[in-house]
Amino acid sequence: MRGRDEVKRQLKTLNVKKLVSLLFHRTVLVGLLILFQAGVLLVATVSFSAYFIYFYWFCVALSLIAVLTVINDQSDPGYKIAWLVPILLFPVFGWLVYLLCGGGRLSRAMRERMQGMDRAMVEVLERDCKAEQLAPFGRDAVNQARYLERYAHCPAYSNTWTRYFPLGDDVFPVLLDELRRAERYIFIEYFIIEPGVFWDSIVEILKEKKAAGVDVRVIYDDVGSLFTLPMAYARKFEAETGIPCCDFNRFRPVLSIRMNNRDHRKICVIDGHTAFTGGINLADEYINAVVKFGHWKDTAILLKGEAPWSMAVMFLTMWEYIRGTREDYNQFRPASMPPEAAWGSNFFVQPYTDNPLDNEPVGATVYLNLIHKAERYIYIMTPYLIVSSSINVALCTAAKAGVDVRIITPHIPDKQVVFEMTRAHYEPLLEAGVKIYEYTPGFVHAKCFAVDDVYGTVGTVNMDYRSMFLHFENGVWLCHDPTVLDIKADFLDTQAKSQEITLERCRRHPWPRQLLRSILRVFAPLM
């Protein structure tokens, strides 16, 4: 009896601790502070009620300025429409919401601080492989490589072997093994980090390597890890392990445009000659150690040889910005190449990065080029299908021209509203002949293309507006790399586990849902 009472007492204490932890979690505190700011704005507005007519026309004038700003901006037409509707419908508040949250550009101060990122990429990588070396593979290959070289400042490389992983479960042991082999440095940059089997296993290796004199550094996105890491985790982690760690664009309880721009990249570089990227974050659902939305389908790619050096430079430019340091890039150049590098001498690999510093949507353009150049097939896996008008037209045009266009999306959503937005974009694509499949075992988080057995890409860029216009992203473009065939095989295997979405089924939903999806299509760019 006494033992049962003791168990009850312990459970009660545990529940109280959980409740206190929840109430004082930083997301709750930040949410309350933002609500307080919104309340102050509302009170300030009401206080002007005596002068409402003057206040109203003042707001109308500001809304017109906002409308002109949106129209003259060089952003995607869909993004413009999504902002014009609320500004015109709610002229009193629409301009204010746009001022605080609208636009894909960084603040002037942040932009000036980050200009050095592009300059460093150009200066450090300008002597690397040139696009013209892809001439034996045709003009299309040269043009794509030249575009990434010019606008992403990322060269193409031969002498790079790649390995594709169809699941996070597969890459997990390989990543740990490669980390154990590190001799000089380990750079880790991920959108989400969460304590658990995956991250804890990595941390143990990082601590061992740090003790052995290896230069270890970690970057994570503060909003991406908002629900997975405690406040000031970077400072605590660095104090406990001695490993330099920093968070990108720390989330502050202020209504600000700065929160639009996140570091969505996933980069792990070892000694400048080995690198990983893909859709996988450092949390347990990505390796199916825990189940959140059914079976988690994600992918990754390993690079060994010359190309990882480009990814090391990507990391160092971000590190310089966050820490305010100046790095000697030459000391991080790979001292030697692994034997696998020689296996990649007959094809090209081009890591690339995208950022919201300018109006050049590199990630979206890579996807558009892959679609436009397809002659036989385009196979795509993406968690979100919230496509811009240009990509929608490109996919439809390819399908109408006889290209076999297939897309796999999740069947079990991670975010219900975003899932409805994805489905809201099905009908126009299906009408054009695009085939869409939903992965019935769970959630697809992969971001992969395979085209004509010739071109492919694996990376972090979702087919939505945030990835293509607001976030820092990265990926790897593959040209005549045999890994493209592995992506294709994985797609077909995943398709066999998925259900096809027909146009009839898409139209079968009742009119309220159809109306909802029509509305969601308008506001999709803002989500």
Side-chain angles (χ1 to χ4, degrees):
M1 193 70 171
R2 185 178 300 172
R4 186 180 300 173
D5 292 339
E6 180 63 21
V7 170
K8 288 182 179 179
R9 187 185 65 78
Q10 291 177 355
L11 288 174
K12 185 176 180 180
T13 302
L14 182 61
N15 290 333
V16 170
K17 287 181 178 179
K18 285 183 177 180
L19 179 60
V20 172
S21 176
L22 176 63
L23 290 176
F24 287 94
H25 191 276
R26 64 171 174 157
T27 55
V28 175
L29 296 176
V30 166
L32 290 174
L33 286 169
I34 291 177
L35 285 175
F36 173 75
Q37 293 173 67
V40 169
L41 289 173
L42 180 61
V43 169
T45 302
V46 172
S47 67
F48 279 97
S49 59
Y51 309 96
F52 179 76
I53 189 65
Y54 306 105
F55 180 69
Y56 176 80
W57 286 110
F58 174 72
C59 290
V60 167
L62 291 177
S63 290
L64 287 175
I65 294 173
V67 166
L68 291 173
T69 302
V70 172
I71 290 174
N72 287 282
D73 190 70
Q74 297 182 32
S75 58
D76 181 81
Y79 193 77
K80 293 182 181 182
I81 293 171
W83 273 114
L84 289 174
V85 172
I87 292 172
L88 293 174
L89 284 178
F90 308 103
V92 175
F93 293 105
W95 66 271
L96 180 60
V97 176
Y98 178 75
L99 178 66
L100 294 172
C101 306
R105 296 179 178 178
L106 299 170
S107 65
R108 178 178 295 179
M110 193 174 181
R111 183 185 300 273
E112 289 176 354
R113 285 183 61 198
M114 302 189 82
Q115 289 298 330
M117 296 178 71
D118 279 351
R119 285 196 298 270
M121 293 285 291
V122 172
E123 293 169 1
V124 177
L125 299 175
E126 64 180 348
R127 290 174 295 177
D128 287 18
C129 179
K130 298 300 181 183
E132 282 66 26
Q133 295 186 32
L134 280 76
F137 298 116
R139 179 51 51 183
D140 286 345
V142 172
N143 289 343
Q144 174 64 84
R146 183 186 292 127
Y147 170 80
L148 289 175
E149 183 181 287
R150 183 176 300 170
Y151 292 100
H153 316 300
C154 298
Y157 296 87
S158 60
N159 299 316
T160 302
W161 171 76
T162 62
R163 178 183 174 186
Y164 175 77
F165 298 93
L167 286 174
D169 317 39
D170 301 326
V171 74
F172 176 43
V174 178
L175 174 59
L176 297 184
D177 187 51
E178 294 295 339
L179 289 172
R180 292 188 186 100
R181 297 181 184 181
E183 297 178 351
R184 297 174 58 213
Y185 62 85
I186 297 172
F187 296 157
I188 289 177
E189 178 183 346
Y190 281 82
F191 183 59
I192 296 173
I193 289 176
E194 182 176 14
V197 175
F198 198 175
W199 177 236
D200 293 349
S201 300
I202 291 174
V203 170
E204 288 305 310
I205 298 173
L206 297 184
K207 289 192 291 188
E208 292 174 7
K209 288 300 175 179
K210 176 67 177 177
V214 174
D215 183 354
V216 182
R217 309 185 190 188
V218 176
I219 298 174
Y220 66 89
D221 186 85
D222 201 43
V223 168
S225 302
L226 188 65
F227 295 96
T228 61
L229 294 178
M231 190 178 297
Y233 176 80
R235 187 168 62 249
K236 295 173 184 175
F237 179 81
E238 188 165 337
E240 292 173 1
T241 65
I243 297 171
C245 179
C246 47
D247 48 2
F248 175 84
N249 203 2
R250 186 172 301 163
F251 187 50
R252 293 176 173 85
V254 178
L255 294 170
S256 168
I257 188 175
R258 293 178 68 249
M259 293 301 109
N260 261 345
N261 308 116
R262 310 310 318 171
D263 182 0
H264 194 246
R265 305 195 302 191
K266 289 93 178 172
I267 295 173
C268 176
V269 184
I270 302 163
D271 294 343
H273 57 59
T274 299
F276 293 84
T277 191
I280 294 166
N281 284 295
L282 306 183
D284 283 356
E285 64 266 28
Y286 293 86
I287 58 172
N288 288 292
V290 298
V291 177
K292 285 192 174 181
F293 310 106
H295 184 261
W296 194 284
K297 165 66 180 173
D298 214 332
T299 61
I301 188 168
L302 164 64
L303 292 73
K304 286 196 167 206
E306 295 179 354
W309 166 237
S310 180
M311 297 173 68
V313 176
M314 293 178 201
F315 176 92
L316 288 168
T317 58
M318 181 65 79
W319 185 266
E320 283 188 327
Y321 161 70
I322 299 174
R323 301 284 280 209
T325 60
R326 296 288 292 177
E327 301 292 338
D328 178 5
Y329 287 79
N330 287 325
Q331 70 172 326
F332 297 103
R333 289 186 181 273
S336 60
M337 286 292 143
E340 295 93 335
W343 303 348
S345 59
N346 296 321
F347 51 84
F348 283 84
V349 176
Q350 193 164 12
Y352 59 91
T353 185
D354 191 8
N355 66 62
L357 285 169
D358 50 31
N359 290 312
E360 187 61 42
V362 171
T365 303
V366 169
Y367 286 173
L368 280 169
N369 286 343
L370 287 169
I371 295 167
H372 288 315
K373 290 173 174 53
E375 297 179 357
R376 295 187 291 115
Y377 76 82
I378 307 166
Y379 294 164
I380 303 169
M381 284 190 280
T382 179
Y384 314 117
L385 190 61
I386 307 172
V387 291
S388 64
S389 57
S390 56
I391 289 184
N392 181 76
V393 170
L395 289 169
C396 291
T397 301
K400 290 175 181 178
V403 177
D404 180 8
V405 183
R406 306 184 195 181
I407 304 172
I408 296 177
T409 64
H411 183 69
I412 299 177
D414 65 335
K415 306 175 187 70
Q416 190 61 46
V417 173
V418 177
F419 185 56
E420 285 297 327
M421 285 186 178
T422 289
R423 286 182 160 181
H425 287 79
Y426 283 177
E427 191 168 331
L429 295 169
L430 292 170
E431 286 176 343
V434 175
K435 298 174 183 177
I436 299 175
Y437 303 84
E438 289 184 354
Y439 180 63
T440 49
F443 184 70
V444 169
H445 193 253
K447 308 97 165 50
C448 301
F449 272 60
V451 176
D452 292 348
D453 295 352
V454 175
Y455 304 115
T457 185
V458 181
T460 71
V461 186
N462 294 319
M463 295 187 74
D464 63 14
Y465 286 80
R466 290 208 151 269
S467 272
M468 294 183 180
F469 303 109
L470 297 176
H471 290 170
F472 290 81
E473 304 280 355
N474 76 285
V476 177
W477 178 68
L478 307 168
C479 177
H480 287 264
D481 187 333
T483 295
V484 174
L485 298 178
D486 296 330
I487 300 172
K488 175 185 178 181
D490 180 41
F491 180 95
L492 295 174
D493 180 67
T494 306
Q495 178 187 315
K497 302 170 185 174
S498 306
Q499 64 177 9
E500 185 171 2
I501 306 299
T502 63
L503 186 59
E504 179 186 3
R505 178 177 177 178
C506 193
R507 290 172 172 171
R508 197 181 300 159
H509 298 290
W511 70 265
R513 174 162 285 188
Q514 297 282 10
L515 176 62
L516 172 65
R517 289 181 177 176
S518 298
I519 296 171
L520 290 176
R521 272 198 296 269
V522 173
F523 293 101
L526 306 185
M527 302 302 290

